[in-house]
Each structure stands twice: as C-alpha cells, then as structure tokens.
C-alpha cells in the first residue's frame, strides 16, 4: 500500500542476515501488517542489507526470537545513529520497540534499550500499538510513552522501575506512576486464522518456501518448553476456512510448502489436510513438516511426505529414559519412538531426526546412557534409515515450570558421553554448544543489571570470553556502561546464582510483574509435580 503523506516512517529490523531474517514467519507477518497500513511507511533492515533508509525515522522495531541475537540490537541502533539507552533519546529520536518470544518471556535484560515492548501475539497488539501512537503523534516523547503504557500488552520499561534490597536482591518491578497499571499481561490472538508467508524468495534460508502455521502452542506441556507454555492456549485454524486457503494462496507462487508449528500433527484435521495434499494435482509439490509428535507418525503420514519430496521426519524425544520423559511430562513411550522409526521407513522416508536434551532436572548419567542405548537399538531395528540426534543443554525459560531450575554443569560431560557412544556407531550427533547454552541462560534469567554487560560486550558478543570478561568487570563495578543505564543499579548477582542455582519458590522473578498465560502458582504446581517423579 502506498504510504500517505505524514505516515509514520518506520524501520523494522531483524538481528541477522536477510537470508535468515526473511525465513522468519514472525518477522514477515509484522512487516506485512505494517506495510498494509497507509499511515505507516515501513522499511526493512538486516545486518547485511536493507531497504533505502528514511532521512528521518519515527519508529524503529526489532523482532527477537533468540536470546543470543539480543545484543545485535545495539549494533543496529548505532548504525542508525540512535542512542542505545532509551533514557538518552529525545523528541528527535524514534520510538524503539520490540516483540517476539524472547521479549515476551523476559524483556528485563534488554529493557533499558527499548522504549516499548509488545508482549504476546501481534495480530491485535501491533495495530493497537500503531493506533495508540497515531493518537498522540506530535506530542512530546514522554507523553507518548505515558499514553502507550496504558494500552493492554504494551510495556514501557522506563515507566516501571526495579527495586532492590540493600544486599542487591530484586524486590520487584513497579510503576513509577500510581496511575499506571501495576502488571502488564501478554496478549493472545484467538482468531480462526494463524499466519502464513507474505514473502517467497529464492534468497531465503529455505528457498522459495511458502510457510503455513498449522498450530500455535502445544497441548503436551513439556515442563521446559517456552513454545508451549508461553503461547497457551493451543490453537488450531479450521481446515476449510483457515489452512486450505492459506496453502492455496502460496501455491500460486511456489511449489514448496512448509507446515509449521510445535506439534503440527496434533491439529485435529491434520489427516484430512494430508489427504487433500495427496491429490494428483499436487504431484509436483514439495512438502516439509516441522517437528511432529512421535506417537502421531503413521506409515500413511510418512508415505504422503515421501511422495511430496520429503526425505526425513523430525521428532523430539527429549531423553531415552522413560523416567526422564515422565519428569518433563513428555507423554511418549519407548515403543512409540520405535514405531515412529518403523513407520517412517515403511512410508519411504530415508532419515529420522531426533531432538534430545541433557542436563534436565533430576537427570543422572544412567538416563544419558539410556538415550544412547535407545538410539542404537532403534537404528539396529530399522536398517537403512539414517539417524541424526540434535542434542542441547537444558536452559531454564521464563513462564515455564522449570524457570526456577538452573543450568547443570555436568551437562557438558554428558554431551561428550553421547558423542563417545553414538558417533562411532554411525549416528550423526549434532550437539549445541554448552558454553553458548550458559550465555543463553544468562540472558533468559537476568534482570536489568545485565544491560550494562550487554552494552559492554557489543562488538565481541560472538566470543564466550568476551561475555565472561564483561560480567567480571560488572561484578567488580568497573563497567563505564553501568553509569549510562539511566538509574543507579546495584552490582549484578554472581554468575553462579543467575546461571546455575536452583531458585527458591518465593524468589522474586525478574519477569514477575508480567503476566503470562499461567499464574506463578500454577507453574510452581507443575514444577513440584515434575520433581516428585524424579
């Protein structure tokens, strides 16, 4: 849509390259929502390229779906000559806003860099944000932020101040003005339709693919899972009014389809969708499916996918230990995992990708040995099927039952144990870096005292040593950035207490003033249920 005179000049940034960013369905949807408004003139920005820039910008937005991408925000702001600290911006600077799962879960480490954080689903929230901003256009920045802070789901960090005890313990985050809401709640989209691609390009990480969101959230509620807990309730668009029109729209431009969601095969009409895709008119269509629940894998599912160009199927098992799967609420038996492999091969697929974790609460070395034994057993039972195990270290996430747990240092040795057991036997092991999982936990569990560390580490955020050096400097009170944060912040807590410690149930959480789908009491109930099975 052609922007009207006086439209809000907006930059929507992504903290990675164009190839990666344009493959993000969330980024695409935010960009298209803004681009369809005549009162917004939106340009895209990636770390390696961008649309022609505005001479002056009113809004600067960032879509954030991965903790480790957070520090890139500062690089992007500096490139645009925007002050990185929100309190130093004037009426001449843009409103810097952000959204996505990382910021919805715990925006506090990055809060001093944002003027506005949008908590939750963007379908209603983003239009409400733009409408609210248009209603105060031209007013001083402080008045704009005061107005925005009263819109449900809009969090203005500058208007919520952290309070600390004399020993540095976080006591809470409260509004600076008694007329502001004390708590800000994540917004949930409850419409019949979910999202699908608005950009199809050969330059994407998945070239020429049309992505369709089949489900949002997941009914399984694995105790560690942000994608499940943060996005509740589980939502499914109808087949005839939602999914099929979304698929057909993309098929006018490409013959490659990606079906996305935390557990796509649990859509109540997924088998009907498969039958529809099995029609002869789709013979030249290539279909790929994101992770599916192992118990839903059938020879028919595998055959349709194999017939539509898929070579492999991806399932999450979390652990080879039945005990550990009970602890994390993974409702999956060993027999169902074995059956999924058989059905995948029977249907004509060539490979099976499995995802697991080490370092989960209550886990011991025997549980990790069980994971290796299960992989070797299933490989032996289905000769000719290639196996890949992607394995990560457990990282606690806000708004999940395991948010009180810490990263377990023994996870590093357990990654090496799996490599020792599986690599010589021909299983492709793809471990995530333990060191970067630790930094991910630092970002997911910290409060605003991490912001000066993030500011100090920019330019060297790709170095583990850079992070540790900056944190040591913060603990010693040696960071010049700490004086730039706008408020006097105590020294950060010890590295051990943020990353590794198990927190008491009465700990004031950095995100405790932000309401997710479930109350802290309900999450603690789920937490205790899990530990009772360990």
């Amino acid at each position: 849509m052609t922007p009207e005179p006086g439209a809000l000049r907006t930059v929507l940034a992504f903290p990675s390259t164009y190839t990666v960013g344009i493959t993000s369905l969330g980024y695409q949807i935010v960009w298209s929502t803004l681009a369809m408004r005549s009162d917004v003139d939106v340009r895209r920005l990636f770390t390696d390229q961008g649309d022609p820039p505005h001479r002056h910008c009113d809004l600067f937005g960032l879509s954030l779906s991965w903790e480790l991408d957070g520090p890139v925000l500062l690089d992007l702001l500096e490139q645009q000559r925007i002050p990185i600290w929100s309190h130093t911006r004037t009426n001449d600077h843009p409103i810097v806003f952000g959204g996505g799962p990382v910021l919805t879960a715990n925006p506090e480490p990055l809060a001093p860099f944002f003027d506005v954080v949008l908590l939750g689903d963007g379908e209603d929230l983003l239009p409400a944000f733009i409408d609210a901003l248009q209603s105060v256009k031209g007013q001083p920045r402080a008045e704009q932020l005061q107005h925005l802070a009263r819109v449900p789901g809009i969090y203005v960090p500058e208007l919520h101040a952290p309070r600390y005890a004399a020993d540095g313990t976080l006591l809470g985050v409260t509004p600076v003005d008694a007329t502001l809401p004390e708590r800000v709640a994540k917004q949930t989209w409850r419409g019949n339709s979910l999202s699908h691609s608005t950009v199809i390009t050969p330059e994407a990480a998945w070239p020429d693919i049309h992505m369709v969101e089949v489900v949002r959230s997941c009914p399984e509620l694995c105790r560690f899972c942000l994608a499940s807990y943060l996005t509740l309730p589980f939502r499914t668009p109808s087949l005839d009014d939602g999914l099929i029109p979304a698929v057909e729209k993309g098929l006018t431009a490409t013959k490659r389809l990606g079906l996305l969601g935390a557990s796509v095969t649990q859509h109540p009409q997924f088998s009907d969708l498969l039958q529809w895709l099995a029609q002869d008119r789709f013979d030249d269509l290539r279909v790929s499916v994101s992770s599916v629940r192992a118990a839903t894998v059938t020879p028919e599912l595998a055959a349709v996918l194999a017939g539509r160009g898929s070579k492999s199927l991806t399932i999450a098992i979390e652990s080879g230990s039945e005990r550990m799967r009970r602890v994390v609420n993974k409702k999956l038996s060993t027999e169902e995992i074995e059956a999924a492999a058989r059905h995948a091969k029977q249907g004509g697929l060539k490979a099976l990708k499995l995802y697991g974790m080490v370092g989960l609460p209550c886990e011991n070395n025997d549980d990790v040995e069980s994971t290796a034994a299960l992989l070797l057993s299933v490989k032996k039972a289905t000769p000719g099927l290639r196996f890949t195990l992607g394995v990560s270290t457990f990282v606690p996430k806000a708004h999940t039952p395991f948010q009180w747990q810490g990263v377990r240092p023994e996870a590093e040795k357990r990654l090496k144990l799996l490599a020792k057991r599986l690599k010589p036997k021909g299983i492709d092991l793809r471990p995530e870096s333990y060191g970067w999982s630790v930094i991910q936990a630092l970002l997911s569990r910290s409060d605003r005292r991490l912001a000066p560390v993030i500011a100090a580490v920019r330019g060297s955020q790709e170095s583990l040593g850079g992070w540790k050096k900056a944190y040591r400097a913060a603990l010693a009170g040696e960071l010049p950035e700490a004086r730039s944060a706008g408020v006097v912040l105590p020294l950060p807590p010890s590295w051990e207490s943020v990353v590794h410690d198990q927190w008491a149930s009465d700990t004031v959480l950095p995100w405790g003033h932000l309401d997710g789908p479930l109350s802290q009491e309900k999450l603690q109930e789920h937490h205790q249920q899990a530990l009772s099975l360990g």
Side-chain angles (χ1 to χ4, degrees), residues 290-309:
S290 62
S291 182
V292 303
R293 186 165 178 254
T296 63
V297 178
T298 63
E300 293 74 25
L301 166 68
V304 170
L305 293 177
R308 292 291 174 264

Side-chain angles (χ1 to χ4, degrees), residues 53-386:
H54 298 289
R55 285 187 63 191
H56 178 78
C57 184
D58 301 307
L59 269 178
F60 183 95
L62 185 84
S63 180
L64 195 60
S65 54
W66 180 238
E67 284 93 351
L68 297 176
D69 284 338
V72 181
L73 164 71
L74 308 190
D75 299 335
L76 293 167
L77 289 174
E78 288 184 318
Q79 287 170 20
Q80 302 293 303
R81 299 197 175 110
I82 300 170
I84 66 170
W85 299 100
S86 63
H87 76 279
T88 64
R89 297 177 196 135
T90 68
N91 292 332
D92 295 327
H93 295 119
I95 298 286
V96 176
F97 75 98
V102 168
L103 291 170
T104 296
N106 178 22
E108 290 305 290
L110 293 162
F113 309 122
F114 282 100
D115 299 307
V116 168
V117 177
L118 306 182
L119 302 178
D121 296 334
E123 282 88 346
D124 287 331
L125 184 53
L126 193 60
F129 168 56
I130 298 297
D131 290 346
L133 198 55
Q134 289 286 15
S135 72
V136 290
K137 190 175 179 183
Q139 294 184 20
R141 180 185 196 86
E143 292 178 23
Q144 291 183 350
L145 294 178
Q146 279 275 347
H147 180 72
L148 290 170
R150 289 168 168 79
V151 177
I154 294 184
Y155 178 48
V156 179
E158 188 177 303
L159 299 179
H160 285 75
R163 294 179 294 109
Y164 299 94
D167 64 356
T169 303
L170 179 68
L171 299 176
V173 181
T174 52
V176 299
D177 181 337
T179 66
L180 293 169
E182 278 197 24
R183 308 185 64 77
V184 186
K186 170 193 175 288
Q187 299 300 290
T188 301
W189 167 247
R190 297 179 184 274
N192 179 51
S193 61
L194 295 180
S195 57
H196 59 80
S197 292
T198 56
V199 176
I200 297 170
T201 171
E203 295 178 48
W206 298 339
D208 296 315
I209 195 165
H210 177 59
M211 297 173 288
V212 174
E213 187 182 13
V214 177
V215 299
R216 189 170 294 181
S217 192
C218 175
E220 295 306 299
L221 294 181
C222 293
R223 302 304 191 213
F224 57 82
C225 184
L226 187 70
S228 182
Y229 273 88
L230 187 66
T231 56
L232 285 170
F234 181 57
R235 283 153 287 164
T236 60
S238 72
L239 182 67
D240 294 331
D241 299 331
L243 285 180
I244 286 178
V247 170
E248 288 188 318
K249 187 172 183 178
L251 297 189
T252 61
T254 185
K255 295 298 182 184
R256 190 172 181 198
L257 174 67
L259 302 177
L260 306 186
S263 187
V264 293
T265 50
Q266 286 182 276
H267 189 292
Q269 295 174 292
F270 190 77
S271 61
D272 297 328
L273 176 62
L274 277 184
Q275 289 177 15
W276 182 75
L277 290 171
Q279 296 176 79
D280 291 346
R281 68 187 177 104
F282 296 129
D283 279 351
D284 57 349
L285 177 66
R286 290 182 62 199
V287 178
S288 55
V289 178
S290 62
S291 182
V292 303
R293 186 165 178 254
T296 63
V297 178
T298 63
E300 293 74 25
L301 166 68
V304 170
L305 293 177
R308 292 291 174 264
S310 285
K311 299 285 194 295
S312 66
L313 200 62
T314 302
I315 62 173
I317 62 168
E318 314 318 342
S319 174
S321 160
E322 294 235 10
R323 183 185 71 88
M324 281 310 305
R325 292 200 296 274
R326 286 194 299 272
V327 168
V328 303
N329 200 37
K330 189 78 180 178
K331 298 179 274 291
L332 182 62
S333 70
T334 297
E335 290 74 23
E336 286 170 326
I337 297 169
E338 293 167 343
R342 285 198 309 274
H343 295 160
K345 182 182 178 184
Q346 196 177 333
L349 294 172
K350 305 297 183 188
L352 190 65
K353 298 177 182 176
L354 303 98
Y355 281 105
M357 279 188 181
V358 295
L360 286 158
C362 305
E363 177 192 85
N364 57 44
N365 276 353
D366 288 345
D367 297 312
V368 182
E369 293 282 10
S370 293
T371 299
L374 175 64
L375 266 289
L376 296 174
S377 169
V378 175
K379 184 178 189 294
K380 185 177 180 181
T382 47
L385 197 65
R386 295 194 311 277

Side-chain angles (χ1 to χ4, degrees), residues 380-402:
K380 185 177 180 181
T382 47
L385 197 65
R386 295 194 311 277
F387 285 86
T388 299
L389 177 66
V391 61
S392 59
T393 296
F394 162 73
V395 173
K397 303 287 185 176
H399 301 287
T400 70
F402 283 170

